[in-house]
C-alpha cells in the first residue's frame, strides 16, 4: 500500500538523482530548502489523474494518500515537489493549467499515462515514460528529463522547455521545436492543424512563428482532464497526410537521392520539370532531357533560399570510355555508350540582394553554404515524401479541397455584406480586404474593370518572412487564390492558384502540395467560421468588422 507524506524539501535532498536537474529548479539557495515542501510517495502508485497546479486540493487523488508524517506541515501547504519513489501509473492525464507556479514532478521508477500536458516545471522520470496519446511540454522555464526511454503517439515540444531524453525513443508523430532534431513540423507547421481538430485551434495563425500560436492550450488541457482526446486518431492523421518514408535512402545529397527526387510523380507525364516551395525556399526538379532550344539538361535539383542562397545539385551521365574510338565501336555494335553517374554541386551566395558567382559546393571549402544547402535539401525531401504519399493515396487532401471549397460555397460566402458593402473594391487598397488574425482576406465580385470582364475571386494571404534588399514593400506575402470562371453549361470552373511572394505570378496549386492544401483548407474554414459567426450575431454591423 503506497503512502504519502508532506515534508520540508531539505529532508529529501539525498534522494535527488544527480542528473535530475532538481537542485537548479527547486533550491536556488538554503532558504528555498527550508521553506519549501515536498510530497513523498513510497511504493507503486496508480492514480486516475494528476493536476500539478493543486495536487493536494480537496478531492484530489493524492490528498487521499497524504499522511501528515512531518507533523508541522500546515494543512494548506502545497508542495513544490512531488516525488514518487516507485512506478507511477496515471489512467487519465497529467496536467497543469498554467505554465508557471505548478509543482515539479520526479518519478524514480517508470511512468505511464494516457495524456500529459505540462509546462513551466520539471518533469523527471528516472525509468521509462510511456504516453498513450498526447505528450505536450511547453516552456518557458520548464524541463523535461527522461532517462529510460520515451514512447508516445503524439509528442509536442514547444516554447523554451529544455528537453533531455536518454534511451530509445518511439514517437509516432513528433513535433519538436526545441531540440533541433528532424521532426514532422520542421519545414511546415501544418501537421499541427491535421493532428489537432479545429476546436483546438487558436484563432487563425499562419504557422510562420511555429506551432505554439496555432493551438489553444487551455482547451487541450480541459479536454484531456475530461478524459477526451485532443488529437485525431493515427488513422485520420495518416489518411490526411500520408508519408512515403522509404522514398530516399537517407538524408544525404547523393546521386541516388537526386535521381529519386527527379523521378517522383511530382513531375507529371510528358513533363520534365516541376516546381514547389515552402516558407522562403523554392525548388525546381529537372529530369534529363533536351529542351526546346536544343540544350541538353542533366538530372538536377535547383534550390533557392530567397536572395540568400542558390544551390545547383546535378547528376551528369559521363561515358565510361570517352573518346572517338569508343563512340564508333558502340555505334558499330548498335549499342548505347555505357555511362557512369557524376555528382556536381554548386552554390552562390547573395550580397545586398544580388547573387555572386557560382562556386563548387563542399563541406570542407564552404561549410556555411553546405549547412544551408543540407537544411534546404532536407526540406525538399520532406516536401517530396508528403507529395508522393498524396499521390499513392490518390490525393486525399486535393479530393477534400475539391469537395469543400466548391464554386457554390465560394459564391455563397463572398456575397455576404462584408464583401459586397464594405470590402468591395478589388483595385482599392483600402477596400479590397482586411486582416483576420494572421490572414488577409479579400474577394473580387464579378465586374467590368477598365473595359475588361473579371470573374469572382477569393484570396487569402499571409506574411511570409521579411523583405530582402531590392524587394518592393510588402513583397514578403504569400497567397492562395480561388477563381471562378463561368461555364457555358453547368457550375463555374474553380481554379486554385498560389504565389510565394507578391512579385510572383500565381501558378496552379499542385494537387501533391500537401502542406499548401492543408493550409488553404485550414485558413478557409477558420475565416468562414469567424465571419459567419459575426454575420449571424449582427448582420447590420457585420460589414464594419
Amino acid at each position: 500500500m503506497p503512502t504519502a507524506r508532506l515534508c520540508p524539501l531539505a529532508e529529501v535532498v539525498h534522494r535527488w538523482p544527480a542528473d535530475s536537474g532538481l537542485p537548479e529548479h527547486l533550491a536556488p539557495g538554503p532558504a528555498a530548502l527550508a521553506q519549501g515542501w515536498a510530497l513523498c510517495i513510497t511504493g507503486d502508485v496508480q492514480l486516475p489523474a494528476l493536476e500539478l497546479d493543486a495536487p493536494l486540493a480537496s478531492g484530489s487523488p493524492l490528498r487521499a494518500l497524504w499522511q501528515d508524517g512531518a507533523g508541522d506541515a500546515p494543512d494548506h501547504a502545497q508542495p513544490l515537489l512531488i516525488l514518487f519513489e516507485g512506478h507511477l501509473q496515471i489512467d487519465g492525464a497529467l496536467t497543469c493549467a498554467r505554465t508557471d507556479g505548478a509543482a515539479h514532478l520526479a518519478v524514480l521508477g517508470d511512468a505511464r499515462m494516457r495524456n500529459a500536458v505540462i509546462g513551466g516545471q520539471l518533469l523527471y522520470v528516472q525509468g521509462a515514460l510511456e504516453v498513450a496519446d498526447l505528450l505536450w511540454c511547453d516552456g518557458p522555464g520548464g524541463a523535461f528529463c527522461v532517462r529510460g526511454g520515451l514512447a508516445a503517439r503524439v509528442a509536442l515540444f514547444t516554447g523554451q522547455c529544455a528537453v533531455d531524453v536518454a534511451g530509445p525513443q518511439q514517437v509516432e508523430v513528433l513535433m519538436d521545436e526545441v531540440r533541433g532534431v528532424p521532426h514532422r513540423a520542421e519545414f511546415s507547421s501544418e501537421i499541427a492543424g491535421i493532428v489537432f481538430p479545429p476546436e483546438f485551434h487558436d484563432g487563425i495563425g499562419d504557422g510562420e512563428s511555429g506551432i505554439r500560436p496555432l493551438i489553444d492550450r487551455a482547451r487541450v488541457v480541459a479536454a484531456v482532464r475530461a478524459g477526451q482526446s485532443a488529437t485525431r486518431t493515427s488513422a485520420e492523421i495518416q489518411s490526411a497526410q500520408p508519408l512515403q518514408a522509404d522514398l530516399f535512402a537517407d538524408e544525404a545529397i547523393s546521386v541516388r537521392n537526386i535521381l529519386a527526387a527527379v523521378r517522383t510523380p511530382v513531375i507529371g507525364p510528358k513533363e520534365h520539370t516541376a516546381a514547389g516551395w515552402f516558407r522562403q525556399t523554392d525548388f525546381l526538379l529537372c529530369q534529363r532531357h533536351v529542351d526546346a532550344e536544343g540544350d541538353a539538361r542533366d538530372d538536377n535539383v535547383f534550390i533557392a533560399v530567397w536572395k540568400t542562397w542558390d544551390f545547383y545539385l546535378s547528376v551528369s551521365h559521363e561515358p565510361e570510355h570517352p573518346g572517338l574510338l569508343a563512340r564508333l565501336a558502340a555505334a558499330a555494335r548498335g549499342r548505347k555508350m555505357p555511362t557512369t553517374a557524376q555528382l556536381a554541386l554548386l552554390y552562390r551566395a547573395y550580397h545586398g540582394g544580388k547573387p555572386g558567382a557560382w562556386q563548387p559546393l563542399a563541406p570542407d571549402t564552404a561549410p556555411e553554404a553546405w549547412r544551408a544547402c543540407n537544411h534546404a535539401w532536407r526540406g525538399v525531401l520532406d516536401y517530396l515524401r508528403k507529395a508522393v504519399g498524396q499521390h499513392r493515396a490518390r490525393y486525399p487532401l486535393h479530393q477534400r479541397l475539391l469537395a469543400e471549397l466548391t464554386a457554390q460555397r465560394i459564391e455563397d460566402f463572398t456575397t455576404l455584406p462584408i464583401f459586397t458593402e464594405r470590402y468591395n473594391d478589388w483595385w482599392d487598397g483600402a477596400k479590397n480586404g482586411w486582416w483576420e488574425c494572421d490572414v488577409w482576406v479579400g474577394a473580387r465580385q464579378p465586374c467590368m474593370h477598365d473595359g475588361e470582364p473579371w470573374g469572382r475571386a477569393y484570396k487569402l494571404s499571409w506574411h511570409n518572412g521579411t523583405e530582402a534588399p531590392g524587394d518592393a514593400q510588402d513583397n514578403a506575402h504569400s497567397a492562395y487564390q480561388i477563381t471562378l470562371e463561368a461555364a457555358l453549361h453547368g457550375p463555374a470552373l474553380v481554379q486554385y492558384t498560389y504565389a510565394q511572394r507578391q512579385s510572383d505570378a500565381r501558378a496552379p496549386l499542385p494537387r501533391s502540395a500537401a502542406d499548401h492544401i492543408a493550409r488553404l483548407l485550414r485558413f478557409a474554414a477558420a475565416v468562414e467560421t469567424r465571419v459567419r459567426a459575426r454575420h449571424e450575431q449582427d448582420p447590420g454591423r457585420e460589414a464594419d468588422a
Side-chain angles (χ1 to χ4, degrees):
M1 179 68 182
T3 60
R5 71 185 187 95
L6 198 60
C7 62
L9 280 173
E11 291 188 19
V12 298
V13 171
H14 66 283
R15 302 180 197 174
W16 292 352
D19 62 350
S20 66
L22 281 168
E24 293 80 2
H25 281 83
L26 298 177
L33 283 175
Q35 298 174 7
W37 297 95
L39 181 65
C40 299
I41 298 97
T42 61
D44 297 339
V45 179
Q46 183 172 6
L47 302 173
L50 177 54
E51 298 181 10
L52 296 177
D53 304 279
L56 294 180
S58 178
S60 66
L62 282 183
R63 191 175 183 89
L65 287 175
W66 176 26
Q67 297 176 353
D68 189 5
D72 57 351
D75 184 69
H76 64 273
Q78 291 296 331
L80 291 178
L81 169 68
I82 304 172
L83 176 64
F84 289 91
E85 297 184 337
H87 300 307
L88 172 62
Q89 169 75 42
I90 301 176
D91 299 329
L94 170 68
T95 58
C96 63
R98 306 185 306 273
T99 54
D100 63 334
H104 303 281
L105 176 62
V107 182
L108 302 188
D110 298 333
R112 292 178 175 82
M113 57 204 67
R114 183 181 176 191
N115 290 286
V117 182
I118 57 173
Q121 74 280 92
L122 170 68
L123 171 61
Y124 174 85
V125 179
Q126 195 166 33
L129 173 62
E130 181 180 332
V131 182
D133 195 6
L134 169 65
L135 165 65
W136 184 1
C137 298
D138 191 27
F144 176 79
C145 184
V146 177
R147 299 270 65 96
L150 169 66
R153 190 178 72 86
V154 175
L156 175 59
F157 300 115
T158 57
Q160 299 171 353
C161 180
V163 178
D164 181 12
V165 179
Q169 298 182 50
Q170 295 179 327
V171 178
E172 186 176 323
V173 180
L174 174 64
M175 295 170 280
D176 188 339
E177 297 181 335
V178 175
R179 291 183 291 175
V181 299
H183 62 101
R184 291 286 294 271
E186 187 176 2
F187 301 99
S188 170
S189 299
E190 287 312 307
I191 184 63
I194 291 175
V195 170
F196 292 89
E199 57 266 32
F200 298 106
H201 297 179
D202 189 2
I204 315 175
D206 57 22
E208 297 303 316
S209 299
I211 297 171
R212 181 62 187 86
L214 298 179
I215 308 302
D216 189 323
R217 188 178 184 277
R219 291 185 183 179
V220 172
V221 169
V224 299
R225 283 182 173 178
Q228 303 167 1
S229 176
T231 61
R232 289 189 170 100
T233 67
S234 297
E236 289 171 331
I237 297 169
Q238 173 63 18
S239 176
Q241 195 182 82
L243 284 179
Q244 195 62 38
D246 61 351
L247 185 60
F248 301 100
D250 47 33
E251 303 288 303
I253 302 172
S254 64
V255 168
R256 180 178 177 180
N257 285 340
I258 291 173
L259 294 180
V262 302
R263 291 170 183 170
T264 61
V266 172
I267 299 179
K270 299 183 180 179
E271 299 290 334
H272 298 289
T273 62
W277 58 271
F278 53 93
R279 294 183 175 168
Q280 291 295 291
T281 301
D282 61 271
F283 63 90
L284 179 70
L285 308 177
C286 178
Q287 294 176 348
R288 186 168 61 154
H289 70 287
V290 177
D291 64 20
E293 285 74 34
D295 295 326
R297 302 295 183 185
D298 290 326
D299 292 308
N300 71 80
V301 180
F302 178 84
I303 305 174
V305 183
W306 180 244
K307 290 191 175 181
T308 305
W309 303 99
D310 288 338
F311 304 106
Y312 180 74
L313 318 176
S314 174
V315 176
S316 61
H317 301 269
E318 305 296 336
E320 289 184 0
H321 306 289
L324 179 59
L325 289 179
R327 292 198 299 272
L328 291 175
R333 291 193 295 267
R335 298 177 182 175
K336 291 184 178 180
M337 288 272 297
T339 61
T340 182
Q342 300 290 330
L343 183 64
L345 307 178
L346 301 173
Y347 82 97
R348 62 182 180 184
Y350 281 72
H351 305 281
K354 298 185 180 299
W358 285 102
Q359 302 178 64
L361 175 64
D364 52 345
T365 58
E368 183 181 2
W370 181 259
R371 287 191 297 271
C373 182
N374 269 273
H375 187 261
W377 165 252
R378 289 181 51 249
V380 173
L381 301 189
D382 177 75
Y383 183 106
L384 295 177
R385 289 187 181 105
K386 296 171 183 174
V388 175
Q390 291 290 316
H391 169 77
R392 296 191 175 176
R394 299 188 177 182
Y395 303 103
L397 281 173
H398 187 256
Q399 293 300 322
R400 183 181 152 201
L401 179 70
L402 298 179
E404 293 186 11
L405 299 186
T406 63
Q408 188 62 56
R409 181 173 176 181
I410 297 301
E411 182 174 352
D412 289 347
F413 180 54
T414 57
T415 52
L416 290 176
I418 194 169
F419 294 107
T420 59
E421 298 176 14
R422 175 67 187 274
Y423 298 100
N424 58 1
D425 191 337
W426 190 256
W427 291 271
D428 184 339
K431 299 182 67 177
N432 62 358
W434 77 98
W435 285 97
E436 195 73 47
C437 295
D438 288 347
V439 180
W440 184 92
V441 183
R444 182 182 67 212
Q445 306 298 325
C447 63
M448 294 289 295
H449 180 75
D450 290 341
E452 183 178 353
W454 294 84
R456 184 177 305 279
Y458 177 47
K459 185 177 180 180
L460 299 168
S461 180
W462 72 100
H463 197 262
N464 181 8
T466 57
E467 283 73 32
D471 285 352
Q473 185 178 3
D474 294 332
N475 191 52
H477 284 76
S478 299
Y480 302 123
Q481 183 166 311
I482 304 172
T483 306
L484 307 187
E485 297 292 342
L488 293 177
H489 304 286
L493 301 177
V494 185
Q495 297 178 342
Y496 308 94
T497 57
Y498 71 161
Q500 188 179 18
R501 285 171 291 275
Q502 294 272 41
S503 58
D504 292 345
R506 286 183 292 105
L509 178 61
R511 59 180 180 171
S512 61
D515 286 323
H516 286 295
I517 298 176
R519 184 185 291 114
L520 172 54
L521 287 167
R522 180 171 64 84
F523 281 178
V527 167
E528 184 171 356
T529 297
R530 291 169 66 95
V531 172
R532 286 194 180 278
R534 291 200 300 266
H535 174 73
E536 292 171 3
Q537 290 172 2
D538 192 348
R541 296 187 59 191
E542 179 244 11
D544 294 327

